Amino acid sequence: MIPPYEPPGGIFVPLPRAAVLAFTESTEPPPRYVIHLPVAVPDLGRALDLARTLARSLASTPQVDVAGTTVSAEDAQHVRQWVFCDRIMPDRRRCAREADHVGACLPNDSPDKDLQSGR
């Protein structure tokens, strides 16, 4: 009598990683975490300026959502003020001017005195 076939390494051979991922991948997006970095600034104007500067300096990092930058009072962190306008432009780019700006929106790569001065 011929013994039954056994794969090398025994009956329970680990599946290749690709096969395991194909069977275990979830349709749910992976969890995301938000970093809260408290920075104390004495007034709202300076807080907004610093927030714009920090956001723009980190804009090349793909994990940073510059458009979501907000500022709040230390004792009322649930009341947030938007830093950037962030309206979607006709060409699907976002406006990079400050929130509640006067005048037309500008895409985030337009040369504009507002953008160069940080406003």
Side-chain angles (χ1 to χ4, degrees):
M1 177 171 180
I2 300 174
Y5 172 76
E6 282 191 35
I11 296 175
F12 298 105
V13 177
L15 290 172
R17 183 165 180 78
V20 172
L21 289 175
F23 286 107
T24 59
E25 279 190 14
S26 171
T27 57
E28 296 294 318
R32 293 176 17 149
Y33 298 90
V34 177
I35 297 170
H36 303 274
L37 179 64
V39 178
V41 181
D43 62 66
L44 181 59
R46 286 193 233 172
L48 291 169
D49 286 344
L50 180 58
R52 274 189 286 278
T53 301
L54 289 172
R56 288 186 175 136
S57 70
L58 295 172
S60 63
T61 307
Q63 298 86 353
V64 175
D65 178 12
V66 172
T69 306
T70 59
V71 170
S72 68
E74 185 175 17
D75 58 350
Q77 294 183 28
H78 61 286
V79 179
R80 297 181 179 207
Q81 180 165 335
W82 291 101
V83 174
F84 296 105
C85 168
D86 196 39
R87 286 189 191 105
I88 298 176
M89 308 293 295
D91 60 0
R92 304 300 300 155
R93 289 183 291 174
R94 293 186 177 273
C95 175
R97 295 183 72 185
E98 66 184 44
D100 304 322
H101 64 82
V102 177
C105 289
L106 295 172
N108 58 10
D109 59 357
S110 288
D112 176 73
K113 63 180 181 150
D114 247 7
L115 296 176
Q116 292 171 1
S117 69
R119 295 189 185 238

